[in-house]
Amino acid sequence: MTAVNEIIAHMGDPTEADKALVNKAFVFSQKAHEGQLRKSGEPYFSHAAAIGLRLATMGMGPRTIAAGLLHDTVEDTTVTAQQLKEEFGDEIFFLVDGVTKLSSVRYYGRDRYNESLRKLFVATSQDIRVLIIKLVDRLHNMQTLEYVPKEKQLRIARETLEIYVPVAHRLGMGKIRKELEDLAFPYVYPKEYERVMTLMKQKAGKAEELLERERKNLQKKLVEAGMTHFQTSYRVKGLYSMYHKLMRKEWNIDQIYDMLAIRVVLDTVEDCYKALGVIHEFWRPLPGRMKDYIASPKPNGYQSIHTTVTTHSGIIMEIQIRTYKMHHESEYGVASHLIYKEKTQGGDGNASWFSNFAPSLFRPFSRHQQPPSQSDITKDRPDKEKIPIWINQIGEMYTAEKSSGQEFVDDMRKDFFMSRIFVFTPNGDVVDLPVGASPIDFAYAIHSEIGDHVAGAKVNKKLVQLDTELQNGDIVEIDTKESAHPTAKWLDQAKTSMARRHIRSALEHERENR
Ligand code: MN
C-alpha cells in the first residue's frame, strides 16, 4: 500500500506545514477506515491512499491531497462532518463535502439526459478541485472494477464513459481521460473491444519496438540539426479512441494515421517550428495532414503541431510537436494550472487556466460525443423560452479574462440552480424544469396526455398538493385518471408556458363543448 512518504515525495516543493498536513490526513483517514475492506479484499484505506498519491503526482496542492485522502471518511466511516471541520478546517471539509455530494449525481441509463447530467455534475462540484478529486476517485474505482459485482460493473463503466470522460475531456485532462476510456471500454462494448484489439495486434504487433527505433532515429536527426533541449517519447493510440476512429473510417485500420505517434517536446514555440522543418526534411510528410494547433488551439485549449510522415522503413506515423508547457497542459489540463499554487500558507488557487478552459466547457463535443442538438433540448417544448438561455450564453459569458476559476464555478452554479431544477421520474429519467415548477409542469413535460389527466402526485414517495414547488433531485410520480381534467386553478399552479398553453386549450375546448 501507498506510504505517506511516497505521497510527500511526489509533492512539488512542500513546506514543513504542507507535509504535516498531508501526514495528519493520512493517519486520520487510515484510522477512520480501520477494519474496512475493499471488494478486492484490500484494506479500504488503500483506495484513499491511492487517490492521495495520484493527486500528488498530478501536482495538486496539500489541501487537495488531504481532501483526497479523507474523501470517503464522512460517507463511509463514523467520522462526522463536525469532527472533520474541527480537525482540518473549513476548506478541506468543503472539498470532502463536495466529493460526497457528487455521489448523488448518478447515471440512470438514459442517454438523452447525459448532457443534463454532465452539467449537473459540474455545477454540483462547486470547486474545480472537487471535480479533480472525483475524477481521480473514479479512476481508482475503474482500476479495481473487476472486483465489483457483475451487475454493477456495466452501470459504473457506462457512467464513466457518459459523464466522467466528457468532463475530463472538457477540462483538458487528456491523461486521465484516456485511462478512464480504456478501462471502461471492455465493460461497455465487449465485442467492439475484442475487434479493436484484434485489429491493433495485427497491425501493430511490434509497435513498441518499431516506435522506439524510429524515435531514436529522429532524436539523432534533431541533435544533428543543433537542437539540444528536447525530449522525445512515443504513444500508441488508446483503444477506445481507436474504436471511435475506426467507426468513422469504416473499420479500415489503414486509414488511421495516428495509431502510432512520436512526441517531440521542446522549450519554445520557435523550437517547435524549427523541429517541424527538420522532421519534414528527414521524413516525407503526407500532404494535407499537417495541423497547427499551436497557432489555432483546439476548443479545450489543446496545443501541438501534428504532422503525418512516412519513415524510411515505410511506416506511417504521426509526429506531435509541442512545448513542455503545452505537454503538461495536455496531460493535466485544468489541474496543471492549479499546481503548486495551493500552499498551506497564503496563496490562492487563482487560475490563469481559466481563459483557456472556460469557453470550451460547454462547447459541443469535438470527438466522442454528438453535441446535444437543439431538438433534444427543445423536445416537446416548441417555445423559445424553454431553452435555458444560459446554455447558449455560458460560452460567451465567461471569456472575460479577469474572472478567476472559482468565480466561474460559482457563477455557473448560481445560474444553474437559479434558473433550472432537475427532477427524476421513478425510472430515473431526468426532467429539466424552471425553478418553481410544480407536479403539473412535470406531468406536461412528460406528455400532454399525462398532463391533461393528472389526478395526484407523489414527491419522493409522499403524496403532495399539485401546487408543491419541486426541488432539485426530487423523484416525481404522477397519478392519472381518465376522469381528471385541467381546471382554472391549474393555470396558477403551472410555471411553464407549455403546461399553461395545454391547460388553456383544454379549458377552451371544454367551454365550447358545454
Ligand atoms: Mn472513493
Side-chain angles (χ1 to χ4, degrees):
M1 200 199 312
T2 311
V4 70
N5 287 339
E6 205 181 327
I7 297 175
I8 289 171
H10 279 91
M11 291 172 69
D13 197 19
T15 64
E16 285 309 312
D18 294 345
K19 290 187 216 172
L21 174 63
V22 169
N23 191 59
K24 184 182 173 188
F26 189 95
V27 172
F28 185 94
S29 176
Q30 188 165 31
K31 190 153 173 280
H33 287 295
E34 200 154 51
Q36 295 178 333
L37 293 179
R38 294 275 286 175
K39 296 247 166 54
S40 61
E42 277 199 278
Y44 194 94
F45 178 67
S46 64
H47 167 67
I51 285 157
L53 177 62
R54 178 72 182 221
L55 289 166
T57 60
M58 289 167 70
M60 299 309 292
R63 288 192 294 277
T64 311
I65 297 170
L69 289 166
L70 296 163
H71 81 279
D72 276 330
T73 54
V74 175
E75 202 171 18
D76 295 336
T77 77
T78 56
V79 171
T80 63
Q82 195 52 40
Q83 266 175 296
L84 201 69
K85 237 187 247 179
E86 277 164 19
E87 288 289 329
F88 293 97
D90 287 344
E91 187 179 348
I92 290 175
F93 169 71
F94 169 81
L95 295 175
V96 172
D97 191 46
V99 175
T100 308
K101 280 191 186 126
L102 268 189
S103 328
S104 65
V105 179
R106 284 176 46 152
Y107 171 70
Y108 289 86
R110 304 297 159 111
D111 288 341
R112 67 183 180 281
Y113 291 116
N114 288 347
E115 186 60 21
S116 301
L117 278 175
R118 278 173 218 131
K119 291 201 174 92
L120 185 60
F121 190 78
V122 173
T124 308
S125 304
Q126 307 195 25
D127 186 301
I128 207 75
R129 292 172 297 174
V130 170
L131 267 185
I132 293 169
I133 297 168
K134 193 67 192 173
L135 284 167
V136 173
D137 177 36
R138 176 50 59 107
L139 178 66
H140 189 256
N141 286 334
M142 287 304 297
Q143 284 163 341
T144 50
L145 192 62
E146 59 182 301
Y147 303 108
V148 168
K150 280 267 174 301
E151 65 275 13
K152 274 191 175 176
Q153 286 175 341
L154 181 63
R155 189 194 70 80
I156 295 172
R158 288 200 67 185
E159 184 175 82
T160 300
L161 282 186
E162 300 297 342
I163 313 296
Y164 288 75
V165 162
V167 168
H169 179 56
R170 284 179 176 181
L171 297 178
M173 300 173 72
K175 197 175 161 72
I176 199 167
R177 190 205 72 212
K178 184 178 172 184
E179 289 174 74
L180 287 171
E181 279 177 350
D182 286 349
L183 286 163
F185 186 26
Y187 290 96
V188 180
Y189 303 105
K191 282 195 196 106
E192 293 82 353
Y193 172 79
E194 285 303 325
R195 196 172 170 193
V196 174
M197 278 289 274
T198 311
L199 271 174
M200 279 186 76
K201 264 188 212 146
Q202 284 167 4
K203 179 81 183 170
K206 292 180 192 144
E208 310 247 325
E209 228 172 90
L210 209 133
L211 279 164
E212 179 56 19
R213 199 171 62 226
E214 299 292 20
R215 184 189 70 78
K216 280 188 184 142
N217 289 337
L218 180 60
Q219 196 169 20
K220 206 168 140 225
K221 209 70 205 168
L222 289 167
V223 171
E224 280 170 19
M227 313 196 71
T228 44
H229 283 109
F230 67 90
Q231 273 175 17
T232 52
S233 60
Y234 61 78
R235 72 111 181 88
V236 179
K237 200 175 180 67
L239 289 170
Y240 188 66
S241 171
M242 267 303 268
Y243 164 56
H244 275 267
K245 205 144 201 183
L246 279 165
M247 285 197 296
R248 289 206 302 275
K249 306 280 179 184
E250 274 131 24
W251 289 85
N252 182 354
I253 200 162
D254 293 325
Q255 291 291 308
I256 296 178
Y257 299 124
D258 65 345
M259 182 171 71
L260 310 178
I262 291 177
R263 283 186 181 141
V264 185
V265 184
L266 308 102
D267 287 331
T268 66
V269 169
E270 207 187 330
D271 292 342
C272 292
Y273 289 110
K274 190 177 170 200
L276 178 70
V278 174
I279 293 162
H280 279 182
E281 212 178 5
F282 182 45
W283 286 329
R284 192 166 50 83
L286 262 67
R289 299 279 317 171
M290 214 273 286
K291 278 163 281 181
D292 187 350
Y293 298 121
I294 290 182
S296 322
K298 285 192 181 183
N300 69 354
Y302 177 81
Q303 285 191 292
S304 219
I305 299 168
H306 290 189
T307 184
T308 308
V309 300
T310 311
T311 69
H312 297 306
S313 44
I315 311 297
I316 296 179
M317 60 173 67
E318 183 171 273
I319 313 287
Q320 304 172 348
I321 309 161
R322 51 177 83 144
T323 65
Y324 286 99
K325 185 165 172 281
M326 291 167 190
H327 181 61
H328 203 271
E329 284 177 4
S330 85
E331 300 268 281
Y332 298 112
V334 61
S336 70
H337 301 276
L338 298 173
I339 283 175
Y340 310 143
K341 295 224 168 109
E342 185 196 75
K343 289 285 172 192
T344 42
Q345 303 297 321
D348 60 12
N350 173 34
S352 57
W353 52 267
F354 167 71
S355 49
N356 273 339
F357 142 72
S360 69
L361 189 58
F362 289 106
R363 282 215 188 123
F365 287 39
S366 54
R367 210 161 60 86
H368 296 150
Q369 276 72 28
Q370 288 298 315
S373 63
Q374 284 296 355
S375 66
D376 280 342
I377 297 168
T378 54
K379 201 182 291 163
D380 279 329
R381 296 180 192 150
D383 348 31
K384 267 228 169 77
E385 71 194 75
K386 290 298 170 301
I387 305 168
I389 295 164
W390 61 269
I391 287 179
N392 301 320
Q393 284 180 344
I394 205 151
E396 296 124 34
M397 262 166 74
Y398 295 100
T399 47
E401 275 177 39
K402 267 187 234 149
S403 314
S404 77
Q406 195 48 52
E407 262 174 64
F408 163 69
V409 175
D410 287 349
D411 286 355
M412 188 182 67
R413 200 174 85 245
K414 224 186 296 160
D415 278 357
F416 186 83
F417 287 126
M418 278 181 64
S419 57
R420 311 297 293 180
I421 55 160
F422 285 71
V423 298
F424 298 98
T425 71
N427 296 332
D429 275 353
V430 185
V431 179
D432 160 8
L433 293 166
V435 165
S438 66
I440 296 173
D441 295 302
F442 174 85
Y444 278 106
I446 303 285
H447 199 282
S448 60
E449 269 300 298
I450 295 180
D452 283 342
H453 297 286
V454 175
K458 281 184 195 158
V459 170
N460 303 325
K461 299 194 171 155
K462 282 199 200 103
L463 276 172
V464 297
Q465 301 286 328
L466 289 182
D467 62 352
T468 303
E469 191 172 307
L470 298 176
Q471 305 295 324
N472 241 326
D474 280 348
I475 299 170
V476 188
E477 207 176 335
I478 299 294
D479 293 322
T480 56
K481 266 198 201 116
E482 202 37 52
S483 58
H485 288 293
T487 66
K489 205 171 152 200
W490 284 19
L491 271 183
D492 299 330
Q493 296 170 343
K495 278 272 175 334
T496 58
S497 49
M498 182 180 58
R500 296 166 61 85
R501 202 181 55 246
H502 279 296
I503 296 165
R504 247 184 254 119
S505 94
L507 292 175
E508 265 166 42
H509 192 72
E510 202 183 315
R511 219 174 292 136
E512 281 162 18
N513 291 324
R514 214 177 277 156

